[in-house]
């Protein structure tokens, strides 16, 4: 299975989600069977590390964010099985950029997988303070737990990347 997280610039939410899920997959023994990546809808931050504030808050929870921002490519719609957007604007843009109905069907909300908290969106913390980054990490940890459960329930035992 291949999972791609999407947010606007790929420097806060999607890059954090990528690392959180990667760690949860390692912990659950699924890391060899699932590929995780992230991208942004814009290329403004291409090649940059995640936002310093996000790296700081993630590190306090044991996540080291090393992903370099990259923009979404059309090929991503073919290369990934699930494409998870963070908010309504992300979803709308993903659906409009998907090359066909088959690829549009891969687009889901990250929060569709939340187990404890059920917000519609993962809010962008970029223009806020520490509380916003902590909230985003809480929501992403919850969603990634749900994604692991989804993978465990749907991935065939002999499946590989």
């Amino acid at each position: 299975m291949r999972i791609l997280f999407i947010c606007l610039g790929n420097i806060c939410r999607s890059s954090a989600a990528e690392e959180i899920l990667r760690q949860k997959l390692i912990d659950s023994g699924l890391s060899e069977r699932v590929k995780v990546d992230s991208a942004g809808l814009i290329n403004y931050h291409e090649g940059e590390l995640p936002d310093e504030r996000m790296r700081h808050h993630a590190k306090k929870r044991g996540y080291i964010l090393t992903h370099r921002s990259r923009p979404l490519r059309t090929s991503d719609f073919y290369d990934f099985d699930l494409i998870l957007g963070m908010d309504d604007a992300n979803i709308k843009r993903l659906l409009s950029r998907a090359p066909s109905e088959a690829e549009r069907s891969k687009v889901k909300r990250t929060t569709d997988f939340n187990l404890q908290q059920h917000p519609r969106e993962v809010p962008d913390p970029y223009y806020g303070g520490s509380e916003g980054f902590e909230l985003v990490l809480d929501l992403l940890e919850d969603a990634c737990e749900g994604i692991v459960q989804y993978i465990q329930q749907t991935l065939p035992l002999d499946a590989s990347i």
Side-chain angles (χ1 to χ4, degrees):
M1 181 174 281
R2 297 156 304 185
I3 299 171
L4 180 66
F5 289 102
I6 299 290
C7 68
L8 184 61
N10 192 213
I11 59 167
C12 289
R13 297 171 290 173
S14 59
S15 57
E18 174 187 348
E19 185 57 28
I20 291 167
L21 182 57
R22 183 173 286 118
Q23 289 302 313
K24 290 189 180 299
L25 291 168
I26 290 168
D27 294 345
S28 64
L30 293 168
S31 63
E32 297 298 319
R33 300 173 61 206
V34 181
K35 174 186 175 184
V36 184
D37 197 0
S38 63
L41 292 166
I42 60 172
N43 65 358
Y44 182 76
H45 299 286
E46 187 170 2
E48 293 179 18
L49 284 169
D51 182 278
E52 182 178 337
R53 298 163 298 169
M54 182 56 84
R55 286 185 284 145
H56 169 75
H57 288 277
K59 186 175 182 180
K60 290 192 315 185
R61 296 181 187 216
Y63 306 112
I64 306 301
L65 307 184
T66 59
H67 175 83
R68 296 282 179 165
S69 175
R70 72 170 183 87
L72 176 71
R73 300 179 292 257
T74 300
S75 61
D76 289 329
F77 286 98
Y78 300 106
D79 294 341
F80 289 89
D81 304 303
L82 274 177
I83 301 172
L84 303 176
M86 297 291 162
D87 60 36
D88 288 340
N90 298 161
I91 297 295
K92 183 177 180 181
R93 287 178 73 178
L94 283 166
L95 292 173
S96 72
R97 291 180 62 180
S100 74
E101 188 57 40
E103 282 68 46
R104 276 190 287 284
S105 71
K106 299 175 181 182
V107 175
K108 308 285 185 223
R109 293 177 182 285
T110 302
T111 55
D112 287 348
F113 294 91
N114 281 54
L115 299 172
Q116 304 296 320
Q117 305 172 61
H118 300 287
R120 182 170 176 82
E121 301 181 325
V122 177
D124 191 344
Y126 189 79
Y127 294 105
S130 293
E131 302 83 19
F133 289 92
E134 291 296 326
L135 172 63
V136 165
L137 290 168
D138 288 344
L139 294 174
L140 293 176
E141 285 178 332
D142 187 11
C144 289
E145 284 291 331
I147 293 167
V148 168
Q149 285 186 19
Y150 170 80
I151 292 167
Q152 289 169 330
Q153 294 166 2
T154 61
L155 193 64
L157 293 176
D158 60 346
S160 61
I161 301 174

